[in-house]
Amino acid sequence: MIQTPYLLFLGDAPDALAAKVAQGIKDWRPEFAIGQLRMENCKADMGLTDMTLVEAKAAGAKTLVIGVANRGGVISPAWKKILIAALEEGFDLASGLHNLLRDEDDLVAVAKACGRELHDVRVPSVEYPIATGVKRTGKRCLAVGTDCSVGKMYTALAMDASMRERGLKSTFRATGQTGILITGNGVPLDAVVADFMAGAVEYISPDNDADHWDLIEGQGSLFHVSYSGVTMALVHGGQPDALILCHEPTREHMRGLPGYSLPSLQALRDTALPLARVANPACVVVGISVNTQHLSEAEALTYLASVEAEMGLPAVDPFRQGAGRLVDALVKLDETVSA
Amino acid sequence: MIQTPYLLFLGDAPDALAAKVAQGIKDWRPEFAIGQLRMENCKADMGLTDMTLVEAKAAGAKTLVIGVANRGGVISPAWKKILIAALEEGFDLASGLHNLLRDEDDLVAVAKACGRELHDVRVPSVEYPIATGVKRTGKRCLAVGTDCSVGKMYTALAMDASMRERGLKSTFRATGQTGILITGNGVPLDAVVADFMAGAVEYISPDNDADHWDLIEGQGSLFHVSYSGVTMALVHGGQPDALILCHEPTREHMRGLPGYSLPSLQALRDTALPLARVANPACVVVGISVNTQHLSEAEALTYLASVEAEMGLPAVDPFRQGAGRLVDALVKLDETVSA
């Protein structure tokens, strides 16, 4: 569990895209983002108050989150100076970088001397159990994709935000680095040892109120041969009551796999649903989330309408339209089950 | 890679079942089993020559394999004395125990002093890559089960043995501790980090001759919610050309999962085959392997005949009948593809 609120470290980001972790926190948990810390040549800007470490500490920030990718696979001396100063100032550090903070001897020494924590969110911090398959109370929704990186995290976060706005009980359950940094906890599922993957998913979505929904962040795709095992563990460990199908319609092949074409939404439905019903016979597909960033507004609306007609399910781009109709589908499901 | 041949350490096995790893080596790689080393109160016997360390060394043994389960989760002082003597005598040690040899300071120190290796086959020894999905040359057969522990390893080993007898090119590819100890190499797939599972399977079944078959050891089940992710990685990383369906007909629920019933063989076929075809569109189901140990001979034959009629595929118990008909199915597949 990472202590909030955060000071977002944007470093020497060469462009806005490099700071996408910070952007995610700013977008989805603005209440966690007290300010930003930028180096002189930083080209990213979250529109937050620029703060020194001392100012941020005074404002209540607990953790300096590295919200930017590093260059060249090293933590530079310039970064190091700031990270050490932050520890000395009383901040914990949190990072999703490939280079682990815990592998930097100076950071470890200073953190120990100052009694601060180093959070490397790429590394599991819990000894997860083996999944039991025992039915849990509360409801769960899982986003599954035709491919990796089609908007599963965005969809779950947008649904969670919409549910909170309506006063419904929901929790986004992070299963990847960015999601963990955004919310302060979760499991880096791709880094968990195989035997414990499904158990880790059970662990992060425990028993809950009967009217509470976990929005579980999806990973990979059942059709992506590199990562399908991780997806499978989510489908079984998550015991979803509801699936959202996620798709990016302009992609020419599976991400990183030339020669592998994307499945249709029908194929995704027909593959994912029977597998999900092994763990939860009541599971249904409730909606479709399409990432239309590479389509014009007109093209997007036409495409969404055609998908909606073909699949007989609400189809939205939550970035353009919000996730309200997907949440409607969950609410309707609740009503159907109760009726 | 564990150096062969082996001296099999049976320790103080309380019964034959405790020595099932040694039994597997004796059954499937008798040429690796030069002799056995038994303590005074040992109740297991592989029918091999009892040898001292010195005798086994003189006979050419390279590795002392712990072929027996330990009791109480500790490596006892009595065992330790023998293991240390073996290192001093010039043996490597190989173990599939939960307690790792490398966690025993005295073994580590003596191994280092003597220049010997400690092989803990539960721990991956390779940094596996992420799977690429690139089509590999050669053929691959994967056993998939309705449940865990239904005879997938036995089936693959029996098919491999039958193929070798016929002079066909085949290799058993171990994916679990016992299989690794039997053959001297492989991947402990359940201990691999999630992102690298499918890559590990690709790694152990690389490009090969066009007429060579890898018999890949299956793990878990697509229907076992605790381990299905591991199975999924085998189905995609293995790129199987042929699937064998494995089943145990008397089981009342999924292993370790009360309340979860076993799928039918039809359901297994209809789930596994489309998933396998994502990685290898040519994949087909060629046969069925049934573990009939809890049936009488008559019951077994009746059951196998009914499965064969229902599924339209050869159905055998390789323990009772050998795996010849399953190998026939692979050969027939080769002929069909070539024709």
Side-chain angles (χ1 to χ4, degrees), chain A residues 161-223:
Chain A
S162 174
M163 293 183 80
R164 289 170 178 227
E165 272 173 32
R166 299 193 198 181
L168 300 171
K169 294 183 192 171
S170 80
T171 310
F172 170 80
R173 300 297 187 183
T175 61
Q177 290 82 18
T178 304
I180 296 171
L181 287 172
I182 288 174
T183 57
N185 61 71
V187 56
L189 194 57
D190 60 10
V192 171
V193 165
D195 248 2
F196 305 100
M197 295 185 298
V201 180
E202 290 187 350
Y203 180 95
I204 61 156
S205 59
D207 280 332
N208 216 317
D209 295 347
D211 59 345
H212 177 279
W213 280 92
D214 275 335
L215 285 312
I216 301 175
E217 181 189 357
Q219 294 293 336
S221 165
L222 292 169
F223 291 84

Short mmCIF file of all heavy atoms in Angstrom, two decimals, chain A residues 161-223:
data_model
loop_
_atom_site.label_atom_id
_atom_site.label_comp_id
_atom_site.label_asym_id
_atom_site.label_seq_id
_atom_site.Cartn_x
_atom_site.Cartn_y
_atom_site.Cartn_z
N ALA A 161 -15.10 5.41 -12.15
CA ALA A 161 -15.37 6.84 -11.92
C ALA A 161 -16.86 7.13 -12.07
O ALA A 161 -17.46 7.86 -11.25
CB ALA A 161 -14.55 7.69 -12.90
N SER A 162 -17.45 6.54 -13.10
CA SER A 162 -18.88 6.78 -13.34
C SER A 162 -19.73 6.21 -12.20
O SER A 162 -20.71 6.83 -11.76
CB SER A 162 -19.26 6.15 -14.68
OG SER A 162 -20.64 6.24 -14.90
N MET A 163 -19.34 5.05 -11.70
CA MET A 163 -20.10 4.44 -10.61
C MET A 163 -19.99 5.27 -9.33
O MET A 163 -20.97 5.46 -8.62
CB MET A 163 -19.63 3.00 -10.38
CG MET A 163 -19.97 2.11 -11.56
SD MET A 163 -19.53 0.36 -11.32
CE MET A 163 -20.91 -0.19 -10.31
N ARG A 164 -18.79 5.77 -9.06
CA ARG A 164 -18.63 6.61 -7.87
C ARG A 164 -19.48 7.87 -7.96
O ARG A 164 -20.09 8.30 -6.98
CB ARG A 164 -17.17 7.01 -7.71
CG ARG A 164 -16.27 5.86 -7.31
CD ARG A 164 -14.82 6.33 -7.43
NE ARG A 164 -13.90 5.29 -7.02
CZ ARG A 164 -12.88 5.50 -6.20
NH1 ARG A 164 -12.65 6.70 -5.71
NH2 ARG A 164 -12.08 4.51 -5.87
N GLU A 165 -19.50 8.46 -9.17
CA GLU A 165 -20.31 9.67 -9.38
C GLU A 165 -21.77 9.41 -9.05
O GLU A 165 -22.47 10.28 -8.55
CB GLU A 165 -20.22 10.11 -10.84
CG GLU A 165 -19.06 11.05 -11.14
CD GLU A 165 -18.96 11.30 -12.64
OE1 GLU A 165 -20.02 11.29 -13.31
OE2 GLU A 165 -17.83 11.48 -13.13
N ARG A 166 -22.22 8.20 -9.39
CA ARG A 166 -23.62 7.87 -9.14
C ARG A 166 -23.88 7.39 -7.72
O ARG A 166 -25.00 7.01 -7.38
CB ARG A 166 -24.08 6.76 -10.09
CG ARG A 166 -24.00 7.12 -11.55
CD ARG A 166 -24.76 6.08 -12.36
NE ARG A 166 -24.37 6.13 -13.76
CZ ARG A 166 -24.89 5.37 -14.70
NH1 ARG A 166 -25.81 4.47 -14.38
NH2 ARG A 166 -24.49 5.45 -15.95
N GLY A 167 -22.81 7.33 -6.94
CA GLY A 167 -22.99 6.87 -5.57
C GLY A 167 -23.09 5.36 -5.45
O GLY A 167 -23.52 4.83 -4.43
N LEU A 168 -22.68 4.64 -6.51
CA LEU A 168 -22.67 3.18 -6.45
C LEU A 168 -21.37 2.72 -5.79
O LEU A 168 -20.36 3.43 -5.80
CB LEU A 168 -22.79 2.60 -7.86
CG LEU A 168 -24.07 2.99 -8.61
CD1 LEU A 168 -23.99 2.57 -10.07
CD2 LEU A 168 -25.28 2.35 -7.93
N LYS A 169 -21.41 1.53 -5.23
CA LYS A 169 -20.20 1.01 -4.58
C LYS A 169 -19.31 0.33 -5.61
O LYS A 169 -19.71 -0.67 -6.21
CB LYS A 169 -20.58 -0.03 -3.52
CG LYS A 169 -21.36 0.52 -2.35
CD LYS A 169 -21.60 -0.62 -1.35
CE LYS A 169 -22.62 -0.23 -0.29
NZ LYS A 169 -23.01 -1.39 0.53
N SER A 170 -18.11 0.86 -5.80
CA SER A 170 -17.20 0.22 -6.74
C SER A 170 -15.76 0.45 -6.33
O SER A 170 -15.44 1.41 -5.62
CB SER A 170 -17.42 0.75 -8.16
OG SER A 170 -16.80 2.00 -8.33
N THR A 171 -14.88 -0.45 -6.76
CA THR A 171 -13.44 -0.32 -6.53
C THR A 171 -12.71 -0.78 -7.78
O THR A 171 -12.98 -1.88 -8.28
CB THR A 171 -12.96 -1.19 -5.34
OG1 THR A 171 -13.80 -0.94 -4.21
CG2 THR A 171 -11.52 -0.87 -4.99
N PHE A 172 -11.83 0.06 -8.29
CA PHE A 172 -10.94 -0.35 -9.37
C PHE A 172 -9.84 -1.22 -8.77
O PHE A 172 -9.22 -0.84 -7.78
CB PHE A 172 -10.34 0.89 -10.05
CG PHE A 172 -9.23 0.58 -11.01
CD1 PHE A 172 -9.52 0.12 -12.29
CD2 PHE A 172 -7.89 0.73 -10.65
CE1 PHE A 172 -8.49 -0.18 -13.19
CE2 PHE A 172 -6.87 0.44 -11.54
CZ PHE A 172 -7.16 -0.02 -12.81
N ARG A 173 -9.62 -2.40 -9.35
CA ARG A 173 -8.59 -3.30 -8.84
C ARG A 173 -7.46 -3.37 -9.85
O ARG A 173 -7.60 -3.96 -10.93
CB ARG A 173 -9.18 -4.70 -8.64
CG ARG A 173 -10.33 -4.76 -7.66
CD ARG A 173 -9.92 -4.35 -6.25
NE ARG A 173 -11.00 -4.57 -5.28
CZ ARG A 173 -10.93 -4.25 -4.00
NH1 ARG A 173 -9.83 -3.65 -3.52
NH2 ARG A 173 -11.94 -4.48 -3.19
N ALA A 174 -6.34 -2.77 -9.49
CA ALA A 174 -5.21 -2.67 -10.42
C ALA A 174 -4.47 -3.99 -10.53
O ALA A 174 -4.24 -4.68 -9.54
CB ALA A 174 -4.25 -1.59 -9.94
N THR A 175 -4.09 -4.34 -11.76
CA THR A 175 -3.30 -5.56 -11.99
C THR A 175 -2.03 -5.26 -12.78
O THR A 175 -1.34 -6.19 -13.20
CB THR A 175 -4.13 -6.62 -12.73
OG1 THR A 175 -4.52 -6.09 -14.01
CG2 THR A 175 -5.37 -7.03 -11.95
N GLY A 176 -1.72 -3.98 -12.98
CA GLY A 176 -0.50 -3.59 -13.68
C GLY A 176 0.13 -2.38 -13.02
O GLY A 176 -0.47 -1.73 -12.15
N GLN A 177 1.35 -2.07 -13.45
CA GLN A 177 2.15 -1.03 -12.80
C GLN A 177 1.43 0.32 -12.75
O GLN A 177 1.38 0.97 -11.70
CB GLN A 177 3.49 -0.84 -13.53
CG GLN A 177 4.46 -2.00 -13.37
CD GLN A 177 4.18 -3.14 -14.34
OE1 GLN A 177 3.49 -2.96 -15.33
NE2 GLN A 177 4.69 -4.32 -14.04
N THR A 178 0.91 0.74 -13.90
CA THR A 178 0.31 2.07 -13.94
C THR A 178 -0.91 2.13 -13.03
O THR A 178 -1.08 3.07 -12.25
CB THR A 178 -0.06 2.43 -15.39
OG1 THR A 178 1.13 2.33 -16.19
CG2 THR A 178 -0.59 3.85 -15.48
N GLY A 179 -1.73 1.10 -13.12
CA GLY A 179 -2.91 1.06 -12.27
C GLY A 179 -2.55 1.07 -10.79
O GLY A 179 -3.24 1.70 -9.97
N ILE A 180 -1.49 0.38 -10.43
CA ILE A 180 -1.06 0.35 -9.02
C ILE A 180 -0.62 1.73 -8.56
O ILE A 180 -0.97 2.19 -7.48
CB ILE A 180 0.07 -0.69 -8.81
CG1 ILE A 180 -0.44 -2.10 -9.10
CG2 ILE A 180 0.61 -0.60 -7.38
CD1 ILE A 180 0.67 -3.16 -9.13
N LEU A 181 0.15 2.42 -9.43
CA LEU A 181 0.60 3.76 -9.04
C LEU A 181 -0.59 4.73 -8.96
O LEU A 181 -0.62 5.61 -8.10
CB LEU A 181 1.64 4.28 -10.04
CG LEU A 181 3.01 3.60 -9.93
CD1 LEU A 181 3.92 4.02 -11.06
CD2 LEU A 181 3.67 3.90 -8.57
N ILE A 182 -1.56 4.55 -9.84
CA ILE A 182 -2.73 5.44 -9.81
C ILE A 182 -3.50 5.28 -8.51
O ILE A 182 -3.88 6.26 -7.87
CB ILE A 182 -3.65 5.17 -11.03
CG1 ILE A 182 -2.97 5.67 -12.31
CG2 ILE A 182 -5.02 5.82 -10.85
CD1 ILE A 182 -3.70 5.32 -13.59
N THR A 183 -3.70 4.03 -8.10
CA THR A 183 -4.59 3.81 -6.97
C THR A 183 -3.87 3.53 -5.66
O THR A 183 -4.49 3.53 -4.61
CB THR A 183 -5.52 2.61 -7.24
OG1 THR A 183 -4.71 1.47 -7.51
CG2 THR A 183 -6.41 2.89 -8.45
N GLY A 184 -2.56 3.27 -5.74
CA GLY A 184 -1.81 3.04 -4.51
C GLY A 184 -1.71 1.58 -4.10
O GLY A 184 -1.00 1.26 -3.17
N ASN A 185 -2.44 0.69 -4.78
CA ASN A 185 -2.26 -0.73 -4.50
C ASN A 185 -2.79 -1.59 -5.63
O ASN A 185 -3.41 -1.10 -6.58
CB ASN A 185 -2.89 -1.12 -3.17
CG ASN A 185 -4.38 -0.87 -3.15
OD1 ASN A 185 -5.13 -1.57 -3.82
ND2 ASN A 185 -4.79 0.14 -2.42
N GLY A 186 -2.53 -2.90 -5.53
CA GLY A 186 -2.90 -3.85 -6.59
C GLY A 186 -1.81 -4.88 -6.74
O GLY A 186 -0.90 -4.96 -5.91
N VAL A 187 -1.91 -5.69 -7.80
CA VAL A 187 -0.92 -6.73 -8.03
C VAL A 187 -0.31 -6.56 -9.42
O VAL A 187 -1.03 -6.38 -10.40
CB VAL A 187 -1.55 -8.14 -7.90
CG1 VAL A 187 -2.74 -8.34 -8.83
CG2 VAL A 187 -0.50 -9.22 -8.19
N PRO A 188 1.03 -6.58 -9.51
CA PRO A 188 1.67 -6.57 -10.83
C PRO A 188 1.63 -7.99 -11.40
O PRO A 188 2.58 -8.75 -11.27
CB PRO A 188 3.10 -6.12 -10.51
CG PRO A 188 3.35 -6.60 -9.12
CD PRO A 188 2.02 -6.63 -8.42
N LEU A 189 0.50 -8.33 -12.00
CA LEU A 189 0.19 -9.74 -12.28
C LEU A 189 1.22 -10.39 -13.21
O LEU A 189 1.53 -11.57 -13.06
CB LEU A 189 -1.21 -9.85 -12.88
CG LEU A 189 -1.80 -11.25 -12.93
CD1 LEU A 189 -1.87 -11.89 -11.56
CD2 LEU A 189 -3.20 -11.21 -13.55
N ASP A 190 1.77 -9.62 -14.14
CA ASP A 190 2.73 -10.22 -15.08
C ASP A 190 4.03 -10.60 -14.40
O ASP A 190 4.85 -11.29 -15.00
CB ASP A 190 2.95 -9.32 -16.29
CG ASP A 190 3.50 -7.96 -15.92
OD1 ASP A 190 3.88 -7.75 -14.76
OD2 ASP A 190 3.56 -7.09 -16.81
N ALA A 191 4.23 -10.16 -13.17
CA ALA A 191 5.46 -10.48 -12.44
C ALA A 191 5.25 -11.55 -11.37
O ALA A 191 6.18 -11.90 -10.65
CB ALA A 191 6.04 -9.22 -11.81
N VAL A 192 4.03 -12.06 -11.28
CA VAL A 192 3.72 -13.09 -10.27
C VAL A 192 4.12 -14.46 -10.82
O VAL A 192 4.00 -14.73 -12.02
CB VAL A 192 2.21 -13.05 -9.93
CG1 VAL A 192 1.80 -14.23 -9.07
CG2 VAL A 192 1.88 -11.73 -9.24
N VAL A 193 4.58 -15.34 -9.93
CA VAL A 193 4.95 -16.69 -10.33
C VAL A 193 3.68 -17.46 -10.75
O VAL A 193 2.63 -17.33 -10.12
CB VAL A 193 5.67 -17.40 -9.17
CG1 VAL A 193 5.74 -18.90 -9.38
CG2 VAL A 193 7.07 -16.80 -9.00
N ALA A 194 3.83 -18.23 -11.82
CA ALA A 194 2.71 -18.87 -12.51
C ALA A 194 1.67 -19.50 -11.58
O ALA A 194 0.47 -19.26 -11.70
CB ALA A 194 3.24 -19.91 -13.50
N ASP A 195 2.13 -20.29 -10.63
CA ASP A 195 1.22 -21.03 -9.76
C ASP A 195 0.30 -20.12 -8.94
O ASP A 195 -0.72 -20.59 -8.44
CB ASP A 195 2.03 -21.88 -8.77
CG ASP A 195 1.88 -23.36 -9.05
OD1 ASP A 195 1.20 -23.72 -10.03
OD2 ASP A 195 2.47 -24.15 -8.30
N PHE A 196 0.68 -18.88 -8.79
CA PHE A 196 -0.04 -18.00 -7.86
C PHE A 196 -0.82 -16.88 -8.56
O PHE A 196 -1.38 -16.01 -7.90
CB PHE A 196 0.95 -17.42 -6.84
CG PHE A 196 1.73 -18.48 -6.13
CD1 PHE A 196 3.03 -18.78 -6.51
CD2 PHE A 196 1.15 -19.22 -5.11
CE1 PHE A 196 3.75 -19.80 -5.88
CE2 PHE A 196 1.85 -20.23 -4.47
CZ PHE A 196 3.15 -20.52 -4.85
N MET A 197 -0.86 -16.92 -9.90
CA MET A 197 -1.53 -15.84 -10.63
C MET A 197 -3.00 -15.73 -10.26
O MET A 197 -3.49 -14.66 -9.90
CB MET A 197 -1.42 -16.07 -12.15
CG MET A 197 -0.01 -16.02 -12.70
SD MET A 197 -0.04 -16.15 -14.52
CE MET A 197 -0.76 -17.78 -14.73
N ALA A 198 -3.72 -16.83 -10.40
CA ALA A 198 -5.16 -16.79 -10.12
C ALA A 198 -5.39 -16.47 -8.64
O ALA A 198 -6.34 -15.75 -8.30
CB ALA A 198 -5.82 -18.11 -10.51
N GLY A 199 -4.53 -16.99 -7.78
CA GLY A 199 -4.65 -16.68 -6.35
C GLY A 199 -4.44 -15.21 -6.07
O GLY A 199 -5.10 -14.63 -5.19
N ALA A 200 -3.55 -14.57 -6.82
CA ALA A 200 -3.32 -13.14 -6.64
C ALA A 200 -4.57 -12.35 -7.03
O ALA A 200 -4.92 -11.35 -6.39
CB ALA A 200 -2.13 -12.69 -7.49
N VAL A 201 -5.25 -12.81 -8.08
CA VAL A 201 -6.46 -12.11 -8.51
C VAL A 201 -7.56 -12.29 -7.46
O VAL A 201 -8.29 -11.34 -7.13
CB VAL A 201 -6.92 -12.60 -9.90
CG1 VAL A 201 -8.18 -11.87 -10.33
CG2 VAL A 201 -5.81 -12.39 -10.92
N GLU A 202 -7.66 -13.50 -6.92
CA GLU A 202 -8.62 -13.70 -5.83
C GLU A 202 -8.29 -12.78 -4.65
O GLU A 202 -9.18 -12.17 -4.06
CB GLU A 202 -8.60 -15.16 -5.36
CG GLU A 202 -9.18 -16.15 -6.38
CD GLU A 202 -9.31 -17.57 -5.83
OE1 GLU A 202 -8.78 -17.85 -4.73
OE2 GLU A 202 -9.94 -18.41 -6.51
N TYR A 203 -7.01 -12.67 -4.36
CA TYR A 203 -6.55 -11.88 -3.20
C TYR A 203 -6.93 -10.41 -3.31
O TYR A 203 -7.31 -9.78 -2.33
CB TYR A 203 -5.03 -12.05 -3.10
CG TYR A 203 -4.36 -11.31 -1.97
CD1 TYR A 203 -4.11 -11.94 -0.76
CD2 TYR A 203 -3.93 -9.99 -2.13
CE1 TYR A 203 -3.47 -11.28 0.27
CE2 TYR A 203 -3.30 -9.32 -1.11
CZ TYR A 203 -3.07 -9.96 0.09
OH TYR A 203 -2.44 -9.30 1.11
N ILE A 204 -6.81 -9.85 -4.54
CA ILE A 204 -7.07 -8.41 -4.68
C ILE A 204 -8.56 -8.08 -4.87
O ILE A 204 -8.92 -6.92 -4.90
CB ILE A 204 -6.27 -7.77 -5.83
CG1 ILE A 204 -6.67 -8.41 -7.18
CG2 ILE A 204 -4.78 -7.85 -5.58
CD1 ILE A 204 -6.41 -7.51 -8.34
N SER A 205 -9.38 -9.12 -5.01
CA SER A 205 -10.82 -8.83 -5.15
C SER A 205 -11.59 -9.72 -4.18
O SER A 205 -12.35 -10.60 -4.58
CB SER A 205 -11.28 -9.06 -6.59
OG SER A 205 -11.04 -10.38 -7.01
N PRO A 206 -11.41 -9.47 -2.88
CA PRO A 206 -11.95 -10.37 -1.86
C PRO A 206 -13.47 -10.18 -1.67
O PRO A 206 -14.08 -9.33 -2.31
CB PRO A 206 -11.20 -9.93 -0.60
CG PRO A 206 -10.89 -8.49 -0.82
CD PRO A 206 -10.66 -8.35 -2.30
N ASP A 207 -14.01 -10.97 -0.76
CA ASP A 207 -15.42 -10.83 -0.37
C ASP A 207 -15.77 -9.36 -0.16
O ASP A 207 -14.97 -8.59 0.38
CB ASP A 207 -15.66 -11.57 0.96
CG ASP A 207 -15.83 -13.07 0.78
OD1 ASP A 207 -16.28 -13.49 -0.30
OD2 ASP A 207 -15.49 -13.81 1.72
N ASN A 208 -16.97 -9.00 -0.54
CA ASN A 208 -17.37 -7.61 -0.41
C ASN A 208 -18.89 -7.55 -0.24
O ASN A 208 -19.58 -8.57 -0.28
CB ASN A 208 -16.92 -6.82 -1.65
CG ASN A 208 -16.49 -5.41 -1.29
OD1 ASN A 208 -17.14 -4.74 -0.49
ND2 ASN A 208 -15.38 -4.98 -1.86
N ASP A 209 -19.41 -6.32 -0.06
CA ASP A 209 -20.87 -6.15 0.04
C ASP A 209 -21.54 -6.72 -1.21
O ASP A 209 -21.00 -6.64 -2.31
CB ASP A 209 -21.22 -4.66 0.14
CG ASP A 209 -20.70 -4.04 1.42
OD1 ASP A 209 -20.30 -4.79 2.33
OD2 ASP A 209 -20.68 -2.79 1.50
N ALA A 210 -22.74 -7.22 -1.04
CA ALA A 210 -23.45 -7.85 -2.15
C ALA A 210 -23.66 -6.87 -3.30
O ALA A 210 -23.71 -7.27 -4.47
CB ALA A 210 -24.79 -8.39 -1.66
N ASP A 211 -23.76 -5.57 -2.99
CA ASP A 211 -24.01 -4.58 -4.05
C ASP A 211 -22.74 -3.82 -4.43
O ASP A 211 -22.80 -2.73 -5.01
CB ASP A 211 -25.11 -3.62 -3.62
CG ASP A 211 -24.75 -2.88 -2.33
OD1 ASP A 211 -23.81 -3.32 -1.64
OD2 ASP A 211 -25.43 -1.87 -2.03
N HIS A 212 -21.59 -4.37 -4.10
CA HIS A 212 -20.32 -3.73 -4.47
C HIS A 212 -19.75 -4.37 -5.73
O HIS A 212 -19.77 -5.59 -5.88
CB HIS A 212 -19.31 -3.89 -3.32
CG HIS A 212 -17.95 -3.32 -3.63
ND1 HIS A 212 -17.02 -4.01 -4.38
CD2 HIS A 212 -17.39 -2.12 -3.32
CE1 HIS A 212 -15.93 -3.26 -4.51
NE2 HIS A 212 -16.13 -2.12 -3.88
N TRP A 213 -19.26 -3.54 -6.63
CA TRP A 213 -18.60 -4.04 -7.84
C TRP A 213 -17.10 -3.77 -7.79
O TRP A 213 -16.67 -2.63 -7.60
CB TRP A 213 -19.17 -3.34 -9.09
CG TRP A 213 -20.47 -3.90 -9.56
CD1 TRP A 213 -21.72 -3.48 -9.20
CD2 TRP A 213 -20.66 -4.99 -10.48
NE1 TRP A 213 -22.68 -4.24 -9.83
CE2 TRP A 213 -22.05 -5.17 -10.63
CE3 TRP A 213 -19.79 -5.83 -11.18
CZ2 TRP A 213 -22.60 -6.14 -11.46
CZ3 TRP A 213 -20.34 -6.80 -12.01
CH2 TRP A 213 -21.72 -6.96 -12.14
N ASP A 214 -16.32 -4.83 -8.00
CA ASP A 214 -14.90 -4.66 -8.32
C ASP A 214 -14.79 -4.50 -9.83
O ASP A 214 -15.34 -5.32 -10.58
CB ASP A 214 -14.09 -5.90 -7.91
CG ASP A 214 -13.66 -5.87 -6.46
OD1 ASP A 214 -13.55 -4.78 -5.88
OD2 ASP A 214 -13.41 -6.96 -5.91
N LEU A 215 -14.08 -3.46 -10.26
CA LEU A 215 -13.74 -3.32 -11.67
C LEU A 215 -12.30 -3.77 -11.81
O LEU A 215 -11.38 -3.04 -11.46
CB LEU A 215 -13.88 -1.87 -12.14
CG LEU A 215 -15.28 -1.28 -12.36
CD1 LEU A 215 -16.13 -2.22 -13.20
CD2 LEU A 215 -15.98 -0.93 -11.07
N ILE A 216 -12.13 -5.00 -12.27
CA ILE A 216 -10.79 -5.60 -12.31
C ILE A 216 -10.10 -5.24 -13.62
O ILE A 216 -10.65 -5.43 -14.70
CB ILE A 216 -10.88 -7.13 -12.15
CG1 ILE A 216 -11.56 -7.49 -10.82
CG2 ILE A 216 -9.49 -7.76 -12.23
CD1 ILE A 216 -11.79 -8.99 -10.64
N GLU A 217 -8.91 -4.69 -13.48
CA GLU A 217 -8.14 -4.31 -14.67
C GLU A 217 -7.72 -5.56 -15.44
O GLU A 217 -7.11 -6.47 -14.87
CB GLU A 217 -6.89 -3.53 -14.22
CG GLU A 217 -6.03 -3.06 -15.38
CD GLU A 217 -4.70 -2.49 -14.92
OE1 GLU A 217 -4.46 -2.40 -13.70
OE2 GLU A 217 -3.89 -2.15 -15.81
N GLY A 218 -8.03 -5.60 -16.72
CA GLY A 218 -7.60 -6.73 -17.54
C GLY A 218 -6.14 -6.62 -17.93
O GLY A 218 -5.52 -5.57 -17.81
N GLN A 219 -5.59 -7.75 -18.40
CA GLN A 219 -4.21 -7.79 -18.90
C GLN A 219 -4.18 -8.71 -20.11
O GLN A 219 -4.87 -9.74 -20.13
CB GLN A 219 -3.24 -8.34 -17.85
CG GLN A 219 -3.07 -7.47 -16.61
CD GLN A 219 -2.38 -6.16 -16.89
OE1 GLN A 219 -1.64 -6.03 -17.87
NE2 GLN A 219 -2.65 -5.16 -16.06
N GLY A 220 -3.37 -8.36 -21.10
CA GLY A 220 -3.15 -9.25 -22.24
C GLY A 220 -4.43 -9.53 -22.99
O GLY A 220 -5.35 -8.70 -23.05
N SER A 221 -4.50 -10.72 -23.56
CA SER A 221 -5.68 -11.17 -24.30
C SER A 221 -5.62 -12.69 -24.39
O SER A 221 -4.53 -13.27 -24.50
CB SER A 221 -5.67 -10.58 -25.72
OG SER A 221 -6.60 -11.27 -26.54
N LEU A 222 -6.79 -13.32 -24.36
CA LEU A 222 -6.82 -14.77 -24.56
C LEU A 222 -6.29 -15.16 -25.93
O LEU A 222 -5.93 -16.32 -26.16
CB LEU A 222 -8.25 -15.30 -24.39
CG LEU A 222 -8.82 -15.21 -22.97
CD1 LEU A 222 -10.32 -15.50 -22.98
CD2 LEU A 222 -8.10 -16.18 -22.04
N PHE A 223 -6.22 -14.18 -26.83
CA PHE A 223 -5.74 -14.43 -28.20
C PHE A 223 -4.31 -13.96 -28.41
O PHE A 223 -3.81 -14.00 -29.53
CB PHE A 223 -6.68 -13.75 -29.21
CG PHE A 223 -8.03 -14.38 -29.27
CD1 PHE A 223 -9.03 -14.02 -28.36
CD2 PHE A 223 -8.32 -15.36 -30.21
CE1 PHE A 223 -10.28 -14.61 -28.40
CE2 PHE A 223 -9.56 -15.95 -30.26
CZ PHE A 223 -10.55 -15.58 -29.35
#
